[in-house]
Structure formats: C-alpha cells, structure tokens
Amino acid sequence: KKVADRYLKREVLGEGTYGVVYKAIDTKTGQTVAIKKIRLGKQKEGINFTALREIKLLKELKDPNIIELIDAFPHKGNLHLVFEFMETDLEAVIRDRNIFLSPADIKSYIQMTLKGLAFCHKKWVLHRDMKPNNLLIGPNGQLKLADFGLARIFGSPDRKFTHQVFARWYRAPELLFGTKQYGSGVDVWAAACIFAELLLRRPFLQGTSDIDQLGKIFAAFGTPTSSQWPDMVYLPDYVEYQYVPAPSLRSLFPMASDDALDLLSKMFTYDPKVRISVQQALEHRYFSSAPPPTDPPKLPRPN
Ligand code: ADP
C-alpha cells in the first residue's frame, strides 16, 4: 500500500510511544525506511504550526550519530515521520547473552552516544528521553540517537502513556524532584545510566516508582547534601530524606577502569550545574587512554 505516493508500506516494526512504526520502501530512492505514524487524534484542526516548525528544524539536524528525519507529512489525519531504517538497537545488544562487550566496545558505544548528544546540545535541542532502545544501530555498526526533540514537540511521553516505565530508570534527580527548568544535564544523567548499563549488562537504577527511583539513586550515590546541591531544596517536589551514606563507586562497578569510573562519577553528579557537559565528557581522558574505542563495523551485534 502506498503512502503519499512515495512510500511502499511493509510490515509493522513495533508500537512506539507516539504510535505505530512501519518498515517501508522509499520508491524515490529505493532506500528502506522506518515510518512513524503519529496519531493526531484530538487536535481536530490537525497539527499546529509550532509543531510543524519544530519538525522542520529536526529535519535540519544532520549528524552521523543522529537518526536522519528524511521526510514528514500529514496523511489521513496522522502525521508521518520518515526515518532511515536501522537494524537493531543498543538494548538488544546489552540484553543479548551471546554478546561479549569488551572495554573497547563499551567505549565505542558510549562515545557515539555522547557524540550524537553533543551535536544536538550544540544546536540547543535536548533529547529528554534517552534510553538504550532509542539508540539505534545501523548496518555498519554506527550508533544513532532516535526520537530527538520529539518529547518537546509532542509532550513528555511518560505523562500520557503510563506503560512507559523504562524511561524512569534514566531520569535525572532534578526531574524526579519536579524541576521545570531542566537543561542538557538530564541527557548527561541518562547517558551515564546507559554507560552503567553497558558495564553491568543490566539497567543500573531500576526504580519501581518515581519515589523508589530516587531511593535507588540515593542508595547508589548517597543522599545529596545541600552543599553538594544548593538549589535542591527549592525544587517543587523536594522532600527531606533520611541520610544514606554513599558506597564506593568502585564497589558498584568492580570491572570498570579507573578512567571509566572517574567519568561516570562526573556524569552522575547531583547538581545539574556542576554535572559534566557532554562536550567535556567527550574530552575526558577515558576516551584518549587505552584501549582505543572499537571501530564501529567491528562492534558485536545480535545475529
Ligand atoms: P519507543 O517510543 O517505545 O521508543 P519507537 O516509537 O521509537 O518506540 O519505536 C517502536 C518500534 O519501532 C521499536 O521496536 C523500534 O525498534 C522500531 N523502530 C523505531 N525507529 C526505527 C528505525 N529508524 N529503524 C528501524 N526500526 C525502528
């Protein structure tokens, strides 16, 4: 079945946060693409102009570590977003027990993640929904960030779709404390959780509710003190917590190198104003010290 005279619809790839995702062939280029059909449901007048302008901006965001938004068009009351097709994602890599990830492989995956983030932060676009299944992997091993900027255009997915529980595990403490003025630090925290997940091969901070998520964070890093994070007490949902001491990060990540642990601790800084930026993280000695990151085509992927 043809969509908008250009795309030949194939099978459903999955149901995402905003709607169904189809595999399709772009008859103009012969390229395989993924089409995300976004229900515009309630908005009777269709998609508003702000959203369209934002989508146009997303189309301009082109980087080797960002999924390219090839096309966007309304069709039968749905908005269709056309992306380059990707074979797998980082979640599948992390979960695959047949895959061994060497320190060099982990370095490569996290470096590509940070490079994609750095590009977007430079353009003042936040991701806001970073998680391993949003990090897609292409045929040559390139990792690319998906769903960039969609959270801002279509609203935070978590509030509308309660089945979206996984994103909580990647949520920064300032978001859990209800901040309304979050910045690029929320993506750094999420990237740190993904880094930790690559090292542990399981999600690091698996909260069962927002309160429990904070509890998991405090258990890992100790309760934040007001000298560590002076603005914390002014956050809307701040409540005083019983003191929990911090275990050593080394005890949580026995296999990580000293450089990896140092970077991880800087990304997991409580105060978002003190937290390392993505650009600074890329300049950290972890990336220049041995072993060098694995060349993407040589990275292990699921069969
Ligand atoms: P979520 O909102 O839960 O992150 P998505 O809407 O991103 O989910 O995607 C839904 C499904 O479609 C997932 O199974 C994902 O693997 C697949 N998918 C999304 N984008 C692409 C793409 N560019 N190439 C291939 N598959 C994709």
Side-chain angles (χ1 to χ4, degrees):
K1 192 176 143 219
K2 266 205 170 163
V3 184
D5 287 336
R6 177 170 166 183
Y7 304 97
L8 270 171
K9 221 187 236 179
R10 293 285 151 86
E11 73 266 24
V12 171
L13 289 168
E15 173 91 24
T17 313
Y18 303 102
V20 181
V21 183
Y22 295 94
K23 189 172 184 173
I25 308 294
D26 184 349
T27 58
K28 196 170 138 191
T29 61
Q31 192 186 5
T32 306
V33 294
I35 301 186
K36 204 168 268 197
K37 195 169 111 183
I38 297 179
R39 295 171 287 246
L40 293 174
K42 291 184 198 96
Q43 294 162 283
K44 282 254 163 57
E45 324 84 78
I47 186 149
N48 65 55
F49 288 108
T50 316
L52 280 178
R53 196 170 55 225
E54 298 256 352
I55 286 164
K56 213 163 168 215
L57 283 173
L58 289 186
K59 276 171 86 174
E60 313 295 314
L61 286 184
K62 281 188 190 165
D63 182 82
N65 297 111
I66 301 291
I67 284 279
E68 189 186 340
L69 176 58
I70 296 167
D71 195 9
F73 57 88
H75 183 70
K76 292 187 182 162
N78 294 304
L79 179 65
H80 291 65
L81 301 180
V82 183
F83 296 96
E84 54 183 318
F85 177 80
M86 301 290 274
E87 288 183 342
T88 187
D89 60 59
L90 196 62
E91 186 180 34
V93 170
I94 291 171
R95 302 278 177 278
D96 191 331
R97 290 294 135 201
N98 296 314
I99 290 179
F100 171 76
L101 289 176
S102 72
D105 298 340
I106 292 171
K107 194 176 287 186
S108 181
Y109 277 130
I110 202 68
Q111 188 181 44
M112 290 191 283
T113 304
L114 292 173
K115 280 181 175 174
L117 268 183
F119 175 81
C120 290
H121 287 179
K122 219 164 57 197
K123 307 265 176 192
W124 300 102
V125 179
L126 301 186
H127 192 291
R128 185 53 187 81
D129 193 27
M130 292 272 293
K131 51 192 174 178
N133 72 345
N134 269 342
L135 304 179
L136 304 183
I137 298 171
N140 55 2
Q142 276 297 328
L143 178 148
K144 294 173 186 244
L145 276 56
D147 284 352
F148 233 100
L150 294 189
R152 188 167 115 207
I153 302 174
F154 301 107
S156 169
D158 316 300
R159 251 166 268 161
K160 283 185 205 150
F161 297 87
T162 41
H163 71 265
Q164 268 269 322
V165 289
F166 302 111
R168 178 189 303 125
W169 300 341
Y170 306 91
R171 206 166 298 155
E174 63 270 28
L175 292 173
L176 295 161
F177 276 137
T179 190
K180 283 166 188 85
Q181 292 154 300
Y182 58 85
S184 53
V186 300
D187 289 337
V188 175
W189 184 277
C193 295
I194 293 164
F195 192 4
E197 191 163 334
L198 281 164
L199 293 164
L200 298 172
R201 297 299 290 272
R202 60 171 167 77
F204 176 40
L205 303 164
Q206 304 185 43
T208 54
S209 65
D210 286 1
I211 294 289
D212 185 53
Q213 188 64 34
L214 273 171
K216 292 287 188 317
I217 293 172
F218 296 163
F221 306 112
T223 35
T225 62
S226 54
S227 61
Q228 263 178 311
W229 186 4
D231 298 336
M232 166 176 69
V233 295
Y234 305 113
L235 295 176
D237 302 334
Y238 171 75
V239 274
E240 239 177 86
Y241 283 83
Q242 201 185 348
Y243 170 76
V244 181
S248 77
L249 206 54
R250 166 59 65 207
S251 67
L252 301 176
F253 299 95
M255 318 271 266
S257 69
D258 289 346
D259 288 339
L261 272 196
D262 187 77
L263 174 57
L264 201 57
S265 70
K266 287 174 170 142
M267 295 172 77
F268 274 132
T269 297
Y270 273 123
D271 187 342
K273 285 182 179 155
V274 182
R275 196 174 300 150
I276 195 169
S277 73
V278 172
Q279 194 51 50
Q280 289 167 328
L282 281 168
E283 288 158 15
H284 190 276
R285 67 173 181 277
Y286 167 67
F287 291 111
S288 47
S289 62
T294 306
D295 195 22
K298 296 191 189 105
L299 282 168
R301 270 171 292 152
N303 290 320

